[in-house]
Amino acid sequence: MTNAGSRVTIHMAASLDGFIARKDGSVDWLETSDEFADGATMDPEFVEAFLKTIDCYVMGSRTYETALLFEGQGKGWSYGDKPTFVLTSRKLPRTRDTIEFYSGDLAELVNGRLRPTFRNIWFVGGGVVSAECLRLGLADNVSYSILPILIGEGIPFFEKLDRDIALHLAEVKAYKSGMVELRYELDSGRAGLT
Ligand SMILES: NC(=O)c1ccc[n+]([C@@H]2O[C@H](COP(=O)([O-])OP(=O)(O)OC[C@H]3O[C@@H](n4cnc5c(N)ncnc54)[C@H](OP(=O)(O)O)[C@@H]3O)[C@@H](O)[C@H]2O)c1
């Protein structure tokens, strides 16, 4: 039984030239120092309330490994106490009860397990998993935060897409930090792309 109100959003931050990490996986460049006078302020209370609306997270194993690295460096765990599904064919350390590992058909996970249970499903990377999610027609939204920096080369937001995917621009917001947030809608969610 599918939850008709469920939404799958792919969300990541990228450089203006479309990379989510350097080739070695590092994301030091995410800390930018621009100022855009007319931009909105990121209100911590709004962010906290917004994060509460997310019901579960999905990520690839390399993104999970980065999250573990950050946690090991004392930077905390970004996904709170929400169920977090990590895609991997390997045996990785499970550091909290909210983490579940999954290997296999992504469409089966999303349509068979996640949509019937959760309303607001967030794919948080990386490029391999985001592209897989789009290729299979599983996403309803793409939320793309562009940072004011060019890094020349790296891991792309969408790794090796094999076709054009038309999007509808639904929201644009610019922040004081110089970050621009774009939200696109797809009408391919659930149906699969042809
Ligand atoms: N800027 C941002 O907002 C942002 C966000 C997220 C990540 N990142 C960065 O992006 C990098 C990671 O991205 P990435 O594209 O290299 O990798 P990724 O998408 O995080 O992970 C890909 C891996 O997930 C596993 N996987 C994917 N689909 C699977 C499936 N259906 N079943 C089983 N396993 C599956 C495979 O690894 P196995 O070998 O484990 O099977 C695959 O190699 C990191 O450096 C991270 O820091 C940046």
Side-chain angles (χ1 to χ4, degrees), residues 94-158:
R94 183 168 178 259
T95 54
R96 46 183 31 85
D97 290 346
T98 48
I99 293 166
E100 185 173 324
F101 296 114
Y102 180 87
S103 177
D105 186 344
L106 191 56
E108 210 169 284
L109 174 70
V110 172
N111 293 329
R113 274 199 62 199
L114 304 187
R115 282 198 188 270
T117 312
F118 303 105
R119 273 184 79 81
N120 200 2
I121 301 159
W122 272 50
F123 272 67
V124 288
V128 168
V129 167
S130 301
E132 188 67 7
C133 183
L134 278 184
R135 254 195 308 272
L136 293 168
L138 301 173
D140 300 290
N141 293 292
V142 174
S143 166
Y144 193 137
S145 300
I146 302 177
L147 295 174
I149 190 165
L150 298 161
I151 62 171
E153 57 177 9
I155 299 172
F157 199 115
F158 300 107

Side-chain angles (χ1 to χ4, degrees), residues 17-85:
D17 44 354
F19 301 114
I20 57 164
R22 294 193 198 279
K23 277 192 166 167
D24 66 2
S26 58
V27 287
D28 52 297
W29 53 273
L30 285 173
E31 305 264 330
T32 52
S33 57
D34 190 23
E35 278 181 43
F36 175 52
D38 291 342
T41 309
M42 191 82 80
D43 173 14
E45 280 169 24
F46 170 81
V47 174
E48 200 185 324
F50 178 77
L51 290 177
K52 281 193 181 142
T53 69
I54 298 174
D55 297 312
C56 74
Y57 293 98
V58 182
M59 66 180 71
S61 62
R62 288 190 226 142
T63 297
Y64 176 61
E65 287 172 308
T66 304
L68 290 186
L69 194 73
F70 281 175
E71 199 179 15
Q73 292 168 348
K75 294 178 186 162
W77 173 253
S78 304
Y79 313 99
D81 57 1
K82 301 296 170 77
T84 300
F85 296 84

